[in-house]
Amino acid sequence: MEREIKFRAWNKTQNRMVTFGDSRVHGVVTNQFLFSHYKNLMQYIGNKDKNGVEIYEGDILKASYSGSSQPPYLSVVKWDETECAFTFGNAPMWTWEDIEVVGNVHENPNLLNN
């Protein structure tokens, strides 16, 4: 099965997230002028949350134990070079259906301060 390669980046001049599909990634990454307008190129990890929302590096995910009184766990999706995998904090692994994208580090950094 072939995984879809997509990226997104925070556009510093427009203060918004921009997504790049396969055909546009090379042009943005290799064009220094365009790339200077973007911050933190973030890769699509190939999975979706329980609502069908694509998960990217830099997304803030919420996971909770069903039927538990424990508060939801929030963490950021990151690439871990030692594991060669995308990680979700150091939380126990849940199935993807139990995880929900609630924001990202550029538009919702306040979510991590709670």
Side-chain angles (χ1 to χ4, degrees):
M1 186 167 109
E2 190 173 309
R3 184 170 68 91
E4 187 174 15
I5 305 297
K6 295 198 292 189
F7 291 86
R8 71 176 185 195
W10 182 250
N11 185 310
K12 297 182 282 190
T13 57
Q14 297 177 355
N15 287 326
R16 69 182 185 96
M17 199 66 73
V18 178
T19 302
F20 306 99
D22 294 341
S23 62
R24 292 189 53 210
V25 171
H26 180 73
V28 171
V29 172
T30 58
N31 185 319
Q32 188 61 38
F33 172 76
L34 286 176
F35 198 63
S36 67
H37 293 283
Y38 296 99
K39 179 178 180 180
N40 296 0
L41 196 61
M42 297 166 270
Q43 186 173 2
Y44 171 53
I45 71 168
N47 291 91
K48 296 179 180 179
D49 76 355
K50 67 181 184 179
N51 299 314
V53 175
E54 294 178 341
I55 302 173
Y56 285 82
E57 290 177 87
D59 277 340
I60 300 169
L61 304 182
K62 176 176 79 172
S64 56
Y65 295 106
S66 56
S68 172
S69 60
Q70 289 184 299
Y73 178 81
L74 293 176
S75 188
V76 177
V77 175
K78 296 179 181 178
W79 176 256
D80 185 325
E81 300 235 351
T82 57
E83 297 292 326
C84 292
F86 291 102
T87 61
F88 173 59
N90 57 4
M93 291 302 297
W94 290 278
T95 62
W96 288 108
E97 290 79 29
D98 295 327
I99 294 177
E100 180 179 13
V101 175
V102 294
N104 65 68
V105 295
H106 297 287
E107 296 171 301
N108 315 97
N110 58 316
L111 292 175
L112 297 172
N113 297 331
N114 295 335

